[in-house]
Amino acid sequence: MNASTGSPVDAAFLRRWLGAATAAVDREAEHLTQLDSPIGDADHGSNMRRGFLAARTAVEQDPPDTPGGVLITAGRQLISTVGGASGPLYGTLLRRAGKALGDEPAVTAAGLRDALRAGADGVAQLGGAAPGDKTMLDALFPALDALTGALGAGGSVAEAFTAAAQAADEGAKATIPLRARKGRASYLGERSMGHQDPGATSAALLVAAFADTARERAE
Ligand code: ADP
Ligand code: MG
């Protein structure tokens, strides 16, 4: 591996990411549900907690030996255990990304980025949302762009995901003034303005978990 690609991302890395993401979702579930109260049905935290706990359990019980396998198993659990819109959408994100990784035992950070972009495109296709519609995509797409920028500039995996996490966080905060055009929040029309989107907020947690996982490995 040369400096521009950094250390490979293997199944163990993705399993650690899933553990970190599940812990973050569990810790922030109350906050996610609070965000889903004024512009939704107050279930985003419980949906995410149920889905990620099931995903982590499935991966722990029968650990896949490829990074793609980890994402596919996790995505399948999200789809089958979460009733809300976020289950099929996040499930599609992870499953599509996992399929894009194929059977490789390890991939580069750029390979992971390409796979996550395929996953985010799958979310946009399934949900019909575009950037600016006040959804999880408003955190995911800026994160992917930041990841591309940082990797292109020669950054390490940890640096690139740290930049991505910051962009996702900024993207989530930037949903506050937006009017929701998709999902339950769109039923509120203008009254959806002035509230941070719960799904963009959870997406930022998932990206931050990548940064934490990569930084721990770098230390
Ligand atoms: P539900 O809206 O069914 O109760 P959740 O509360 O778990 O599901 O998730 C709501 C989040 O899902 C929203 O904050 C938004 O980010 C995301 N979301 C909803 N609809 C879409 C869509 N069509 N495309 C992308 N994301 C969406
Ligand atoms: Mg909801």
Side-chain angles (χ1 to χ4, degrees), residues 25 28-36 44-45 48 198 201-202 205:
V25 161
E28 291 295 316
E30 200 71 25
H31 179 225
L32 295 175
T33 284
Q34 266 169 26
L35 293 174
D36 196 34
H44 189 56
M48 292 295 286
T201 309
S202 58
L205 292 178

Side-chain angles (χ1 to χ4, degrees), residues 75-154:
R76 198 179 293 142
Q77 290 299 319
L78 289 176
I79 291 169
S80 63
T81 62
V82 180
S86 60
L89 292 164
Y90 276 128
T92 295
L93 173 75
L94 300 187
R95 262 177 30 146
R96 285 278 179 100
K99 282 187 182 169
L101 291 178
D103 293 332
E104 296 293 327
V107 297
T108 62
L112 178 60
R113 184 271 324 275
D114 289 345
L116 291 172
R117 188 171 287 281
D121 288 342
V123 172
Q125 204 177 19
L126 176 66
D133 284 352
K134 198 178 180 102
T135 71
M136 57 177 70
L137 293 176
D138 291 318
L140 292 175
F141 281 136
L144 289 165
D145 290 344
L147 199 51
T148 298
L151 290 174

Side-chain angles (χ1 to χ4, degrees), residues 33-59:
T33 284
Q34 266 169 26
L35 293 174
D36 196 34
S37 299
I39 60 169
D41 55 353
D43 66 354
H44 189 56
S46 51
N47 283 342
M48 292 295 286
R49 178 189 268 147
R50 185 180 332 109
F52 273 85
L53 287 173
R56 188 180 63 184
T57 300
V59 164

Side-chain angles (χ1 to χ4, degrees), residues 131-200:
D133 284 352
K134 198 178 180 102
T135 71
M136 57 177 70
L137 293 176
D138 291 318
L140 292 175
F141 281 136
L144 289 165
D145 290 344
L147 199 51
T148 298
L151 290 174
S156 68
V157 181
E159 286 164 346
F161 273 109
T162 299
Q166 192 178 335
D169 207 44
E170 285 165 9
K173 291 201 173 80
T175 63
I176 295 173
L178 297 177
R179 177 181 174 153
R181 293 201 177 78
K182 291 288 165 190
R184 276 178 198 281
S186 67
Y187 309 157
L188 292 175
E190 283 187 358
R191 282 182 295 136
S192 65
M193 294 161 78
H195 302 280
Q196 184 164 323
D197 181 61

